[in-house]
Amino acid sequence: MFNPLILASKELYLWLVHLTSKRTKKNNDKIVFLLSFPTASKPALQMLYENFPEKLVICYTKNSKELASYYERRGCSTYCIDEFPTLLKNIVPIVTGCKLVFCDNYFAFLAGITFSFSTKVVQLWHANGAIKSFGLAAEYAKKASEKDRKRYSEVYEKFTHYVVSSKKMADIFAKSYRQNINKLPFGYLSTDLFADQYWLSETRKQFKNYFPSDKKVVLYVPTYREYKTSLPLDFAKLQQHLGDEWQIMVKAHPHDEEFYSKIKNESQIITDFKGLDLVQILPSVDCLITDYSSVPFEYSLANPKGKIVFFCYDYDEYNKEVGVEENFESWAPGAIVTNEEALISEVQCSSKQNFTSFNQMWNEYVQGNARKQLLEWVRKVYDN
């Protein structure tokens, strides 16, 4: 429903950002990282800190405070984007005058920033591929007001480069943002880990130390849903049917607090991962259950002998409310099921899956050296 007060507040917000940005005359040599997905952004942040510790400035959303504080204790300047006075006083002037900006998401305030011609704004994104629609291609964006869509476009126009793992993902960005894409074909930074055999071995040992069991691991990783939904699985029933052979784990989307609150006290499943990130869990997962999440694009590299089942119980509703990428049913590297009985049957099925064609489509640029390539590119930006 159209709300003129919300519209007016958005316009005032961006007007103040724009005014502050226009008044900023002084350039700086900072590298600004706009942070909202801590786990996805760890590799890039670590690389930037190791090589440019005095230049790195982290501007973070509240959910990313812990990671930002880690770097603040090591001497980096950090500012919270969600605090509007801080945004105007500190963040906007630094971002406006800096040489390089990294983003791991959509940040609304960028619509009001007036960058210099030489500033590079790099979209790292928080996903390696896309099953669900986003940007202007998403169903909810199509239903938004004309002014809201204009604001979305004003943010997208600020991005100058995109780090991607495939031409397909670059094409999706171009379609979703209606922009010409300057792609940096380095691969998703986290995928470097899956090419490191020593890291894989040590990570599997660490997982085994935390979860000492001979059971096979099934991990459920649902995507974030913009609309409310009931708990889709009866975990007691799932455990009963899978039996003692399987250990059930559930990882909530980092922004889905409501789903996490529903599952955290379920006795049949594991939701506490002892501080392990998703990338540290995937190599030990025998069967991944997901839906429209981007996790399959990493899992296919982390565990090429593994198995994926797509539990799309709300496919029609999700496609109507958000949107699903074209031909998903034909390129999905695993069975797509819509009910619990079919899900149980697919998990128990012993048939093997082959991720080769899937990886050729979505991970064609992945060589295990994404961070190195990005670092070389950043250095060239500073040399020019």
Side-chain angles (χ1 to χ4, degrees):
M1 183 181 292
F2 174 75
N3 188 324
L5 290 177
I6 293 177
L7 177 62
S9 66
K10 289 178 180 178
E11 291 183 344
L12 177 60
Y13 171 94
L14 285 180
W15 180 78
L16 290 170
V17 169
H18 181 68
L19 187 64
T20 305
S21 181
K22 289 287 285 184
R23 288 177 174 175
T24 300
K25 305 296 183 184
K26 187 177 180 181
N27 290 335
N28 61 71
D29 67 346
K30 300 300 182 184
I31 298 174
V32 176
F33 199 105
L34 304 183
L35 172 67
S36 68
F37 278 85
T39 299
S41 295
K42 274 184 179 180
L45 276 173
Q46 187 62 25
M47 180 271 289
L48 292 170
Y49 174 73
E50 288 173 355
N51 293 278
F52 310 98
E54 296 178 356
K55 290 183 171 68
L56 182 60
V57 176
I58 301 171
C59 304
Y60 63 94
T61 53
K62 287 181 179 176
N63 69 294
S64 306
K65 181 176 176 60
E66 183 178 351
L67 183 58
S69 297
Y70 171 86
Y71 286 102
E72 184 178 30
R73 292 191 296 270
R74 283 152 181 79
C76 294
S77 297
T78 66
Y79 302 99
C80 183
I81 295 171
D82 298 327
E83 297 170 357
F84 192 60
T86 301
L87 179 72
L88 290 183
K89 181 181 177 181
N90 302 107
I91 296 175
V92 171
I94 294 174
V95 170
T96 299
C98 76
K99 199 161 186 177
L100 184 58
V101 182
F102 286 99
C103 313
D104 69 3
N105 202 352
Y106 169 97
F107 293 91
F109 82 91
L110 289 177
I113 300 292
T114 303
F115 287 110
S116 71
F117 179 76
S118 62
T119 301
K120 304 292 189 293
V121 183
V122 182
Q123 179 56 264
L124 285 173
W125 204 235
H126 49 272
N128 190 28
I131 294 176
K132 63 181 179 181
S133 302
F134 62 91
L136 295 171
E139 294 301 320
Y140 52 77
K142 296 175 184 177
K143 298 170 187 174
S145 69
E146 184 177 344
K147 286 191 174 182
D148 276 339
R149 290 197 298 273
K150 182 175 182 293
R151 276 194 294 273
Y152 300 156
S153 295
E154 287 172 348
V155 173
Y156 305 149
E157 288 167 2
K158 297 299 192 296
F159 303 135
T160 62
H161 294 80
Y162 295 75
V163 175
V164 293
S165 285
S166 63
K167 180 182 182 299
K168 186 167 183 66
M169 190 59 184
D171 290 343
I172 288 174
F173 273 124
K175 174 190 71 173
S176 302
Y177 288 170
R178 296 179 189 170
Q179 300 291 322
N180 292 324
I181 301 301
N182 291 322
K183 66 181 182 181
L184 300 175
F186 304 154
Y188 190 56
L189 268 62
S190 293
T191 60
D192 284 0
L193 297 171
F194 308 137
D196 184 338
Q197 294 304 312
Y198 177 78
W199 180 88
L200 284 170
S201 176
E202 291 301 304
T203 298
R204 291 188 180 108
K205 288 178 185 176
Q206 186 180 28
F207 182 90
K208 201 73 172 176
N209 287 336
Y210 283 138
F211 307 104
S213 170
D214 292 329
K215 296 180 180 180
K216 290 190 286 187
V217 175
V218 58
L219 174 67
Y220 178 39
V221 187
T223 194
Y224 177 80
R225 281 165 169 74
E226 287 78 1
Y227 55 88
K228 292 197 177 205
T229 181
S230 57
L231 199 61
L233 283 172
D234 180 339
F235 292 108
K237 178 181 177 182
L238 183 61
Q239 184 65 77
Q240 180 183 357
H241 281 84
L242 294 181
D244 292 337
E245 186 182 1
W246 290 90
Q247 178 173 264
I248 303 172
M249 297 183 165
V250 183
K251 183 79 168 173
H253 186 281
H255 292 176
D256 199 341
E257 295 178 4
E258 182 180 349
F259 178 75
Y260 179 70
S261 68
K262 291 178 179 178
I263 64 169
K264 65 180 180 180
N265 294 320
E266 290 271 349
S267 60
Q268 297 85 6
I269 61 177
I270 292 173
T271 59
D272 180 1
F273 292 94
K274 317 294 185 185
L276 295 179
D277 292 333
L278 184 58
V279 291
Q280 296 171 290
I281 301 167
L282 292 180
S284 300
V285 172
D286 298 286
C287 180
L288 172 71
I289 302 173
T290 187
D291 39 40
Y292 323 102
S293 165
S294 64
V295 68
F297 305 101
E298 294 173 72
Y299 179 72
S300 60
L301 296 172
N303 196 344
K305 295 182 179 180
K307 179 177 185 175
I308 305 174
V309 182
F310 294 89
F311 181 44
C312 302
Y313 62 92
D314 59 348
Y315 184 90
D316 291 338
E317 183 180 10
Y318 197 89
N319 200 20
K320 179 181 177 181
E321 296 294 329
V322 180
V324 177
E325 278 300 320
E326 188 178 3
N327 298 323
F328 166 55
E329 296 91 338
S330 65
W331 53 254
I336 300 173
V337 299
T338 57
N339 59 68
E340 198 165 323
E341 288 71 23
L343 172 65
I344 293 167
S345 177
E346 285 297 333
V347 173
Q348 292 175 324
C349 179
S350 60
S351 61
K352 298 291 183 182
Q353 292 179 347
N354 189 324
F355 298 141
T356 302
S357 60
F358 179 72
N359 283 327
Q360 287 171 346
M361 177 183 291
W362 289 99
N363 288 310
E364 63 173 314
Y365 302 146
V366 174
Q367 299 177 39
N369 62 349
R371 289 203 294 181
K372 180 182 177 182
Q373 291 185 82
L374 182 59
L375 175 59
E376 291 173 353
W377 182 83
V378 172
R379 285 179 170 152
K380 287 179 182 177
V381 168
Y382 272 87
D383 288 342
N384 294 330

